[in-house]
Amino acid sequence: MNLKMNLPALVVVFPFFSAMMMVAIGIFNRKVVPYIFQITATITAYFAFSLLIEVYTNGPIRYYFGNWIPPVGIEYYVDYLNILFVTIIASIFFVMSFYFPLSVRKEIPESKSYIFYSVTTLFASGLLGITITGDMFNIYVFTEISSITAYALIAIGGNRRSYRSSFNYLILGTIGASFIVLGIGYLYMATGTLNLLDMQERLQHVYNSKITISAAAIIIVGLSLKMALFPLHSWLPGAYAHSPSTISAFMSATSTKVMAYLLIRFVYTIFTPNFATKIIPITDIVMYISLIAIIAGSFLALGQKDLKYMFAYSSVGQIGYIVFGAMLINANGLIGSIYHFLSHAIVKGGLFLVAGIIFYNFTNTKIEITNGLFKKMPFTSIGFLIFALSMIGIPATSGFISKWYLVMGAIETGNWIGVTVILLSSLLTAIYFWRVVDRIFFKAPDDDVKFNEPISMILPTYILAGCSIYFGLFPHQLVNYAQKAVLLLMETIK
Amino acid sequence: MTETVYSLLPIYAVLIPLILPIPIYLFRNYPNGREFFSIAGSLATFITVFLIYTKVKTGISLEYTLFEFLPGLSLKFKVDAFGTYFALMASFLWFLTTFYSIGYMRGNKEKNQTRFFLFFSLSMFAAISAAFSGNLLTIYVFYEIITFSTYPLVAHKQTKEAIQGARRYLSYLLLTSVLLFLPALVYTYYAAGTLDFTLGGIFASKENVNKSVLGLMLLFFVFGSAKAAVMPFHLWLPSAMVAPTPVSALLHAVAVVKTGVFVIIRVFVYIYGLDFLKTISTSNLVTIFAAFTIIVASMVALRQDNIKARLAYSTISQLSYIVLSVSLLSITGAIGAIFHIVAHGFAKITLFFWAGAVYVANHKTKVSELNGIAKHMPYSMAAFTVGALSMIGFPPMAGLISKWFIATGAVEGSKPWVIAVLVISALLNAGYFVPIFINAYLKKPEPEHNHSHLHEAPKLMLVPMLITATLTIFIFFYPEFFLKLAKLALGIGG
């Protein structure tokens, strides 16, 4: 069928064009735009799921754009790894799309709202593009699309602090992107191709070349900056804390993780672990940095007075988990990393949704206002509790499964420092979340005002909470998928 | 070997305390209705456990898999003789404690009684589930649930002191279980490929296991199960004494701390296997740590003026009897360990009941305030006498039998020096209980006070106390009931 054949392109191109449409229609009629937005999210998710089924029944797909055969044309390469990520991003986008209208009405000026929807869709299509493409330059292009839209989305909050955060991110993000494009340029110099699989093939012969080595270093620094790996994280807290609730939720769930995906792609598919073991130990270096990131992120989160800041710093630590698992070069570690990608996308996204509901009622998210929140907003509080437990990694939540695999991977490679760090940071996570849980459930509220918990905001939050529990209880299928992906990635090790 | 049968009975036994909070919450404004459900629920649980007992004593074990996370990694119940033994004691004492709690909470006019009974029921759910757990992962999950569900009970009074005590309680238990127990658990899974409790251990059939790491993991297990309060991880117990006395009685003399030693016995007998442990030298270290704890905790108890603190240190010392006994690696020692769970359980709950009675009836919390109190509360003091004598190891109380087994086990396990520890500890036990006798029975009350208000405890508190005291004596004369289960649990007789 024609639709089926073109799924890899549709997943990206459909939201892309839909975003353009929204502007065009929005000029004449602003009221329809939210509906178009929701329909777009639904259809994109549908495409992603069909693609998932397609890939798992028939194996990886190589899709040639306009039927131009690579290395001349652009290739979309969908294997077991990135289809998972594509599906996660599209589903999160779909679930959160229900949350948007109320929150947007509250936080975004009416006159800008249609632009906001359009740019958000564009942002999502950029992220989807990064994950799905099999062409190096295309990766850069989509990175820029998602970055530039992100700067705009953060700044749309409209107060002075969100401008500053946006500008901060703009500078650092641009530096990161320049590094990436520079590295890609070097790789092109070394190999003369931009196609991923082609490059993997050709790169083997030039591992020793100085160009390749410096390309590896430059790309990893660039990616670290974009994914806010400690100590290059300074743009992230402000960007998450001062952007609109919906954006901080969607960005925290997806954007830095897509960069972590790219890291996995570069290390496993392009350079292959052989390069790391034979030439320079980049994976070891990044692994130790990620351990520092885990601890530092947790400690920084400990001292925050604002919920959004706390979640943001916790993200800095959590990205460390994903990177750590990937850099172990061990099957279980990588499964843990992929699983944590999913788990953290769900949980952190959900936590920011919770923060959004609190913001909707209080117009701020300071921790001190959560005293006795359970009495005022019971549903929100219970949602928060579920996410907090998952962050800590309590069994029967998705966080437990990913930590289980990460610890397994660390033990298998004899990395006891890693084991200690992961568990220690779980405890720190427990401390900084328990601080809030304690306030919400056990402190007396300051006043008796009842608050509104709109169903359109509670529902997406609970869907995510349900997912977190579901993937904690029944991880079997997903772990099988992840295993398939990992086998394919590990094939290059000989 | 024992036959395994699929059965829903264990599910019923844990479902009752799990759903009991619902009627308790619904009847929150009708104390009598609420208390009726507490009593009926605990009775129903006990009856179900008793039904399980009638099946298990014929040599079968009941199994029910809740679900399988991953191959070899499941949440499942497998009720064998040892689990039944523990559940039987816990559910019976819960039933008695319910009456006592009603008397205590009403006599003391405590606030938030609904929350109290609600979490009490949840804690019992977790404790009984831990007893029924079929593998290490399941028991770990319920071990953590116990920690969390008892937290509101410990913090019940919500004074600054109570909250601090509860925080310390939570942090000690979480810190050790996550940092020590969890890695040991993951390593066990990595080394053995299974976590199922198997009599004789899961390593015995494996070759190429790294014994030095397993030895270290044994220590991780013992200290990670900090509910057993082996020094140096014992400090949470005295600080948890801020809880209302029924909580201290049931949870901190029976359910919580006994789950700790229960886990340790499970690890020794069913994960490592006593024979396999003979090749691992760190088991001697466990003996030494336990012996140290027995002596030192008793010495600390000597200096405590607060009744509950004295009892807490006595508990710490008595728990190490159990750990010490199983670490002797002889069958007799293991029987002694299992038997002491019950012997100490009944005696210690009597003592805590007594402490609560003294507090509710006469508002006394210190040993030095007890002068001449026996004249006013003769029945309570009689119960106390039985409990204290059992602790010291006096005939005809249950404590003597377990000491007998431990001493025999020490000779069998060729560690005769343990007997010296037992003797010294018996003297020390006498040292901290005798002053209470002297104060209560022999000393004259201070004349400047008016003593007309001193009176006996309310009947609701007195009767459970007398029942447990009677049973402490009863067990001495008819130990066969428990010994048979203990032997069945170890695969001998039955």
Side-chain angles (χ1 to χ4, degrees):
Chain A
M1 222 183 91
N2 210 9
L3 180 74
K4 219 175 195 176
M5 271 172 54
N6 289 318
L7 274 176
L10 279 172
V11 152
V12 182
V13 173
F14 178 74
F16 192 84
F17 279 105
S18 175
M20 309 291 163
M21 291 294 288
M22 280 181 213
V23 182
I25 296 172
I27 294 171
F28 303 105
N29 188 347
R30 281 183 208 142
K31 292 219 171 71
V32 254
V33 174
Y35 299 104
I36 303 178
F37 175 73
Q38 259 166 23
I39 293 166
T40 309
T42 314
I43 295 179
T44 310
Y46 167 75
F47 285 151
F49 268 102
S50 324
L51 192 57
L52 178 79
I53 293 163
E54 182 67 24
V55 169
Y56 275 96
T57 42
N58 299 332
I61 298 172
R62 303 187 66 166
Y63 177 85
Y64 307 129
F65 241 89
N67 272 336
W68 289 90
I69 308 296
V72 178
I74 291 173
E75 180 196 0
Y76 275 14
Y77 174 62
V78 193
D79 68 359
Y80 300 119
L81 178 72
N82 57 2
I83 184 57
L84 274 180
F85 293 166
V86 166
T87 318
I88 294 168
I89 295 168
S91 331
I92 296 256
F93 185 45
F94 167 64
V95 172
M96 287 188 182
S97 69
F98 295 101
Y99 187 96
F100 269 70
L102 266 186
S103 176
V104 170
R105 214 173 296 154
K106 172 97 180 174
E107 293 173 30
I108 311 292
E110 169 74 27
S111 57
K112 288 188 199 158
S113 70
Y114 71 99
I115 304 277
F116 178 77
Y117 282 116
S118 162
V119 176
T120 310
T121 316
L122 202 57
F123 175 64
S125 84
L127 294 176
L128 289 168
I130 299 174
T131 32
I132 213 165
T133 187
D135 184 273
M136 293 284 256
F137 197 73
N138 221 239
I139 288 181
Y140 169 69
V141 170
F142 279 120
T143 311
E144 281 297 284
I145 290 180
S146 69
S147 307
I148 291 168
T149 48
Y151 309 142
L153 288 172
I154 294 166
I156 216 164
N159 61 43
R160 183 189 291 201
R161 273 189 282 177
S162 55
Y163 290 141
R164 200 175 57 203
S165 307
S166 172
F167 188 68
N168 199 355
Y169 182 27
L170 174 81
I171 301 292
L172 290 172
T174 310
I175 295 175
S178 321
F179 268 100
I180 294 172
V181 77
L182 194 64
I184 292 175
Y186 277 5
L187 285 179
Y188 183 67
M189 267 166 71
T191 58
T193 180
L194 283 170
N195 183 283
L196 288 187
L197 298 177
D198 207 25
M199 186 175 282
Q200 176 191 39
E201 190 62 35
R202 297 194 197 180
L203 208 56
Q204 287 171 11
H205 311 294
V206 286
Y207 274 171
N208 277 318
S209 145
K210 287 218 169 61
I211 301 176
T212 316
I213 295 174
S214 42
I218 288 169
I219 286 178
I220 282 181
V221 172
L223 286 176
S224 306
L225 229 171
K226 293 289 286 181
M227 75 172 112
L229 189 66
F230 185 87
L232 303 175
H233 67 284
S234 60
W235 60 267
L236 183 136
Y240 283 8
H242 300 304
S243 52
S245 312
T246 47
I247 291 309
S248 43
F250 187 54
M251 265 179 59
S252 68
T254 51
S255 72
T256 52
K257 285 174 205 68
V258 166
M259 294 299 150
Y261 155 77
L262 275 187
L263 183 70
I264 296 178
R265 249 308 170 241
F266 272 103
V267 170
Y268 283 86
T269 308
I270 298 176
F271 288 107
T272 76
N274 294 330
F275 174 74
T277 44
K278 284 180 196 154
I279 313 295
I280 49 167
I282 37 169
T283 52
D284 283 351
I285 298 169
V286 179
M287 185 196 74
Y288 283 111
I289 293 176
S290 73
L291 288 180
I292 298 171
I294 293 174
I295 291 292
S298 305
F299 267 113
L300 287 169
L302 211 53
Q304 299 307 319
K305 293 193 172 70
D306 186 287
L307 276 181
K308 275 179 134 186
Y309 265 108
M310 186 179 105
F311 297 159
Y313 276 108
S314 136
S315 277
V316 172
Q318 299 290 321
I319 200 81
Y321 283 109
I322 298 175
V323 174
F324 171 75
M327 293 299 118
L328 278 175
I329 317 289
N330 168 285
N332 278 330
L334 197 52
I335 294 176
S337 176
I338 294 172
Y339 212 92
H340 203 66
F341 186 104
L342 165 86
S343 165
H344 188 241
I346 293 172
V347 173
K348 192 47 70 63
L351 278 171
F352 273 106
L353 291 187
V354 167
I357 303 176
I358 294 174
F359 187 87
Y360 183 78
N361 284 314
F362 289 89
T363 58
N364 73 62
T365 52
K366 291 207 174 65
I367 287 180
E368 64 198 36
I369 59 162
T370 58
N371 283 353
L373 194 72
F374 181 60
K375 297 239 163 62
K376 299 176 180 172
M377 301 160 74
F379 290 104
T380 315
S381 306
I382 288 178
F384 179 84
L385 182 69
I386 295 173
F387 293 126
L389 292 178
S390 187
M391 284 292 295
I392 299 168
I394 300 289
T397 60
S398 54
F400 176 73
I401 305 290
S402 52
K403 280 187 190 166
W404 175 273
Y405 274 101
L406 289 173
V407 172
M408 276 284 275
I411 286 181
E412 268 179 25
T413 49
N415 193 328
W416 291 95
I417 303 177
V419 177
T420 320
V421 166
I422 289 178
L423 298 173
L424 193 70
S425 106
S426 300
L427 283 172
L428 290 172
T429 313
I431 295 171
Y432 62 74
F433 272 102
W434 203 255
R435 232 169 25 127
V436 184
V437 169
D438 217 36
R439 275 176 189 272
I440 292 182
F441 289 92
F442 297 112
K443 284 227 166 127
D446 305 329
D447 47 44
D448 284 338
V449 189
K450 283 271 172 197
F451 282 105
N452 182 13
E453 298 176 278
I455 182 86
S456 74
M457 296 174 103
I458 287 293
L459 193 69
T461 315
Y462 270 67
I463 291 175
L464 292 183
C467 284
S468 170
I469 291 176
Y470 176 83
F471 288 116
L473 292 179
F474 310 102
H476 209 111
Q477 201 171 19
L478 198 79
V479 166
N480 272 349
Y481 284 179
Q483 237 151 11
K484 250 182 164 175
V486 167
L487 275 181
L488 194 72
L489 287 180
M490 294 297 227
E491 243 174 30
T492 51
I493 306 179
K494 276 155 207 158
Chain B
M1 271 316 287
T2 52
E3 185 191 348
T4 306
V5 181
Y6 280 84
S7 166
L8 273 173
L9 267 181
I11 299 295
Y12 296 144
V14 301
L15 262 187
I16 298 170
L18 180 63
I19 57 170
L20 188 58
I22 298 170
I24 290 181
Y25 183 73
L26 291 179
F27 280 81
R28 61 189 181 281
N29 295 326
Y30 308 95
N32 286 332
R34 182 186 66 199
E35 260 78 303
F36 165 77
F37 277 106
S38 282
I39 293 169
S42 57
L43 182 65
T45 312
F46 174 66
I47 291 171
T48 320
V49 174
F50 196 82
L51 282 178
I52 292 173
Y53 162 74
T54 57
K55 299 210 166 163
V56 169
K57 76 170 177 189
T58 59
I60 57 175
S61 46
L62 311 176
E63 196 174 301
Y64 188 86
T65 306
L66 290 173
F67 50 78
E68 199 162 12
F69 283 123
L70 303 162
L73 199 64
S74 56
L75 268 196
K76 79 171 183 189
F77 287 146
K78 186 179 175 196
V79 188
D80 61 356
F82 188 33
T84 317
Y85 177 89
F86 183 49
L88 207 56
M89 179 189 80
S91 59
F92 178 68
L93 290 179
W94 179 31
F95 177 58
L96 286 185
T97 311
T98 307
F99 289 103
Y100 181 85
S101 316
I102 296 167
Y104 181 92
M105 299 308 272
R106 291 190 174 181
N108 227 4
K109 300 189 182 64
E110 293 271 352
K111 287 179 194 158
N112 293 324
Q113 295 195 16
T114 304
R115 186 180 72 192
F116 175 86
F117 286 107
L118 203 147
F119 278 101
F120 213 114
S121 179
L122 276 183
S123 316
M124 288 315 295
F125 150 73
I128 292 172
S129 305
F132 288 168
S133 296
N135 59 31
L136 210 51
L137 181 73
T138 317
I139 213 167
Y140 173 74
V141 171
F142 288 111
Y143 179 97
E144 297 290 28
I145 295 180
I146 294 179
T147 311
F148 281 105
S149 56
T150 47
Y151 173 78
L153 293 176
V154 177
H156 183 83
K157 283 180 187 148
Q158 287 183 312
T159 57
K160 203 171 178 193
E161 194 198 354
I163 287 173
Q164 266 177 358
R167 286 225 177 107
R168 184 189 263 198
Y169 168 78
L170 192 69
S171 44
Y172 258 81
L173 292 184
L174 263 188
L175 201 81
T176 49
S177 68
V178 173
L179 269 189
L180 300 173
F181 198 91
L182 194 58
L185 184 146
V186 180
Y187 186 81
T188 307
Y189 180 68
Y190 162 66
T194 175
L195 290 172
D196 285 354
F197 294 134
T198 317
L199 195 60
I202 53 177
F203 293 117
S205 54
K206 294 271 182 301
E207 284 165 20
N208 315 324
V209 283
N210 187 341
K211 285 196 175 158
S212 52
V213 180
L214 277 182
L216 185 68
M217 289 306 138
L218 184 74
L219 293 181
F220 274 29
F221 274 125
V222 171
F223 293 118
S225 179
K227 290 195 167 91
V230 178
M231 281 181 181
F233 296 107
H234 65 286
L235 277 176
W236 63 269
L237 226 173
S239 41
M241 286 300 143
V242 294
T245 310
V247 176
S248 312
L250 183 65
L251 303 178
H252 298 154
V254 186
V256 171
V257 295
K258 289 294 154 58
T259 310
V261 288
F262 181 81
V263 170
I264 291 181
I265 295 178
R266 279 284 194 212
V267 167
F268 267 80
V269 181
Y270 298 85
I271 293 291
Y272 279 79
L274 291 179
D275 288 326
F276 181 75
L277 274 175
K278 281 174 187 151
T279 60
I280 287 179
S281 56
T282 47
S283 63
N284 297 320
L285 268 179
V286 176
T287 318
I288 292 168
F289 269 105
F292 177 81
T293 309
I294 292 177
I295 303 285
V296 174
S298 304
M299 293 204 294
V300 178
L302 282 175
R303 301 174 53 87
Q304 304 296 322
D305 192 30
N306 186 307
I307 297 172
K308 280 173 84 179
R310 190 174 286 204
L311 290 181
Y313 277 100
S314 155
T315 304
I316 295 171
S317 145
Q318 295 282 330
L319 289 172
S320 276
Y321 272 75
I322 300 170
V323 177
L324 173 117
S325 183
V326 73
S327 73
L328 296 172
L329 307 184
S330 67
I331 289 288
T332 322
I335 294 177
I338 296 177
F339 192 80
H340 200 56
I341 291 184
V342 159
H344 173 249
F346 277 89
K348 189 45 75 54
I349 205 167
T350 313
L351 292 178
F352 269 107
F353 280 170
W354 166 78
V358 170
Y359 176 66
V360 169
N362 301 318
H363 292 281
K364 296 200 185 303
T365 54
K366 293 200 171 121
V367 175
S368 51
E369 295 170 347
L370 294 176
N371 292 354
I373 205 159
K375 209 157 69 182
H376 302 283
M377 30 193 338
Y379 297 109
S380 304
M381 278 309 294
F384 168 78
T385 310
V386 172
L389 289 181
S390 178
M391 289 287 146
I392 301 169
F394 235 66
M397 320 295 170
L400 179 65
I401 296 188
S402 34
K403 284 201 183 168
W404 177 264
F405 275 107
I406 297 172
T408 319
V411 178
E412 264 179 37
S414 49
K415 284 176 190 152
W417 56 271
V418 165
I419 297 176
V421 174
L422 292 183
V423 173
I424 297 172
S425 138
L427 288 176
L428 288 169
N429 288 354
Y432 58 78
F433 280 124
V434 167
I436 301 182
F437 289 127
I438 295 177
N439 285 0
Y441 281 107
L442 302 178
K443 283 204 181 153
K444 291 244 157 51
E446 284 145 48
E448 65 264 29
H449 290 295
N450 178 15
H451 295 287
S452 55
H453 65 279
L454 289 180
H455 48 81
E456 183 56 274
K459 283 209 180 57
L460 264 177
M461 299 172 76
L462 194 57
V463 174
M465 195 190 323
L466 291 176
I467 293 177
T468 52
T470 318
L471 283 172
T472 309
I473 302 176
F474 185 78
I475 294 170
F476 177 79
F477 290 108
Y478 302 97
E480 268 311 303
F481 178 81
F482 290 109
L483 278 182
K484 212 172 144 190
L485 270 181
K487 282 178 184 159
L488 203 60
L490 294 168
I492 47 172

